[in-house]
Amino acid sequence: MSELMHNPEDYEESFDPDAYFDHYFSKNQIEDGTRVSLFCLPVFAQIVKQTVPKEKRLSLLDVGAGPTVYSAMCFRECIDRAYMTDFVQKNLSSLRDWTNGVSSHDWQPTIKVILRTEGIAGSTENVLEKVEKRTQELVHAGGVLFSNVHESPCVPDLPEDGVDILVSVFCLESACKSLEEYNKCLKNMIAQLRSGGKFIIGSVIDDNIYNAGNQRMFWLLRLTEQDVVSALAHAGLDVENRQNPILQKEDFNLPFGRSQFKGAKASRTLLQIHSIIALFQEGVRSRGGGRHVRHAYQVLILYFVIGSQPEVTLRMQFPALETARIRRSSTVTRRVPRLC
C-alpha cells in the first residue's frame, strides 16, 4: 500500500471508487466514524422542506459527488430530481451502475444512519429498500453528469438554467491547488444555482491530505474558516450581513429528541444560523476491539441562501452524547455528536 501523495490531476488515473466507498461507507466505517455530512444534510433538508414552497425546491445538484449518493438520499422527500456530477469517469460509471440497480455498493448502512438522524429507528429491510428506490428514481429524473469546477459552466450538460439546491461536500479543496483557483471554482459552481436557491458546502479545513482508501493519499488545499468565508464573499455572497437567529426544535418540527439520542433531552436540541465546525475522525479497530484515531479532519459546513435577501448560514447545536472534539471559536458553543 503506497502513501505517495496524489495531486488533483491524478484523480482520473489513481482514484478508486470502490476503495473510497469501502473506506468511508462500508458497514464498519459508517457505524464507527464521525459522519458530519450525514447528520447535517437531513437537518438542512427538513428546513428546506418546511420553509420553501414545493415549486421552489424541485431540483438538487451535487457537484463533486464522487461515487456517493447520500446527498440525494438526505433530500429525497423535498425534491423531484437530482443531478449527481463528478469529474472522474470511474465515479460517473459507479453512479450510473447504482442508479440502474447493478452496483455492488451496499448503501443500507448509510441509509440507516440517515433515518436515525431523521428520528426513524429500527428500520426494516422494506423501508431501507424504499429509500434507495426513491433516490434512484430522483437520479433517473435528473441525471448523472460530468462536472469540472475549473470551467464555466462547471456542469455543461445541466438541462436547466439554475437548480434550486446546490450541494458540494469535500470537493473544491480536493480540486484546487491555490486560493486563487478555489475562489474561481467556487464562483463557477455557484453560477449553476438560481437566484434564491440554497447552497450547502462542506469543507475540510486546516489539513492538506486525505486517505481515499487503500492508503491512497490525495492532496487537499489547506483552508481556514476565513478562507472559505472570504471565497464566498468573493463569489458575491453577503457574508457580512448574515443572520444569526436561534431556531428552537419546535420552530421547524425537527424530528430529533430522546428517541434518537439515548439519554438526550429533547429540549436541548436546537439550531442556530451560522456554521458547523466538527472533527471527522478516521479510525481503525485494533485486534482487541478498541479503536484509535489514525487521522482527524476538521470539517466546516455552511448553508447559504442565494439571492437578493440577506444571506444566511446555518450553525447547528446538538445534544452532546457520543461527542467529537471541535475547535473552540465564537461561532461554536456546543459539542457535536459523532453521528455523521
Side-chain angles (χ1 to χ4, degrees):
M1 292 186 293
S2 172
E3 295 196 11
L4 172 71
M5 167 80 82
H6 295 284
N7 292 307
E9 58 269 23
D10 298 328
Y11 270 88
E12 187 63 51
E13 179 180 350
S14 301
F15 189 84
D16 183 342
D18 295 332
Y20 180 86
F21 180 88
D22 290 343
H23 190 72
Y24 290 106
F25 294 94
S26 65
K27 185 177 186 301
N28 289 338
Q29 290 294 336
I30 206 69
E31 291 295 332
D32 207 29
T34 306
R35 297 168 294 277
V36 179
S37 302
L38 296 184
F39 191 36
C40 303
L41 292 185
V43 177
F44 296 162
Q46 284 287 327
I47 293 175
V48 169
K49 184 178 180 181
Q50 295 182 39
T51 61
V52 179
K54 181 173 175 56
E55 67 273 13
K56 294 184 178 181
R57 52 173 172 84
L58 299 177
S59 57
L60 176 143
L61 170 64
D62 188 330
V63 176
T68 74
V69 292
Y70 60 81
S71 61
M73 287 175 172
C74 292
F75 280 86
R76 71 193 181 280
E77 296 298 335
C78 67
I79 59 173
D80 282 357
R81 57 190 177 274
Y83 302 99
M84 311 304 292
T85 78
D86 202 72
F87 177 79
V88 179
Q89 290 299 324
K90 287 178 287 188
N91 287 338
L92 296 176
S93 295
S94 180
L95 290 169
R96 293 186 181 106
D97 286 346
W98 173 82
T99 304
N100 294 323
V102 295
S103 173
S104 61
H105 294 171
D106 179 11
W107 281 99
Q108 289 200 359
T110 299
I111 295 171
K112 287 180 181 178
V113 172
I114 293 171
L115 292 177
R116 285 204 304 268
T117 306
E118 295 172 346
I120 304 170
S123 302
T124 64
E125 186 84 12
N126 185 50
V127 170
L128 299 176
E129 289 176 356
K130 283 184 177 179
V131 170
E132 188 160 18
K133 183 177 179 181
R134 166 63 179 165
T135 310
Q136 288 169 328
E137 290 171 350
L138 291 172
V139 180
H140 267 299
V144 174
L145 304 173
F146 171 80
S147 62
N148 181 354
V149 293
H150 293 277
E151 301 293 335
S152 183
C154 66
V155 187
D157 295 329
L158 188 70
E160 47 191 282
D161 292 335
V163 296
D164 298 316
I165 304 166
L166 171 61
V167 177
S168 186
V169 179
F170 311 147
C171 170
L172 291 181
E173 61 270 37
S174 302
C176 301
K177 298 209 71 174
S178 68
L179 285 177
E180 182 179 5
E181 279 190 3
Y182 184 90
N183 291 342
K184 176 185 175 183
C185 291
L186 180 62
K187 198 168 184 178
N188 291 341
M189 185 185 293
I190 291 177
Q192 305 273 204
L193 187 64
R194 69 166 177 81
S195 177
K198 306 299 183 291
F199 178 41
I200 298 168
I201 182 169
S203 306
V204 175
I205 57 176
D206 296 326
D207 216 325
N208 64 352
I209 193 171
Y210 84 100
N211 185 354
N214 288 342
Q215 291 303 303
R216 292 186 182 182
M217 312 306 291
F218 276 83
W219 156 278
L220 290 175
L221 176 64
R222 186 180 288 275
L223 298 168
T224 65
E225 180 181 3
Q226 187 55 47
D227 289 332
V228 178
V229 173
S230 296
L232 292 167
H234 184 266
L237 277 68
D238 182 9
V239 298
E240 295 298 326
N241 297 311
R242 59 184 181 266
Q243 301 172 2
N244 293 302
I246 293 179
L247 310 177
Q248 297 295 336
K249 173 176 178 285
E250 292 77 14
D251 290 342
F252 288 107
N253 191 30
L254 297 174
F256 309 122
R258 188 178 297 274
S259 63
Q260 182 188 355
F261 303 118
K262 294 180 181 178
K265 295 181 179 179
S267 61
R268 293 181 62 195
T269 303
L270 51 86
L271 304 177
Q272 181 170 354
I273 304 301
H274 203 62
S275 61
I276 310 162
I277 303 178
L279 197 70
F280 184 104
Q281 294 179 338
E282 177 194 325
V284 293
R285 288 192 177 277
S286 65
R287 291 183 179 179
R291 183 176 183 274
H292 67 273
V293 175
R294 173 182 289 156
H295 196 83
Y297 309 94
Q298 285 196 95
V299 176
L300 171 70
I301 297 190
L302 295 159
Y303 172 105
F304 267 85
V305 179
I306 309 297
S308 58
Q309 58 185 300
E311 307 303 342
V312 178
T313 58
L314 211 75
R315 176 167 95 191
M316 307 170 69
Q317 300 174 320
F318 301 110
L321 297 171
E322 289 187 295
T323 58
R325 292 177 293 112
I326 64 174
R327 191 181 74 180
R328 293 288 181 183
S329 78
S330 60
T331 62
V332 180
T333 59
R334 211 173 270 186
R335 292 157 72 88
V336 179
R338 283 181 47 211
L339 277 179
C340 37

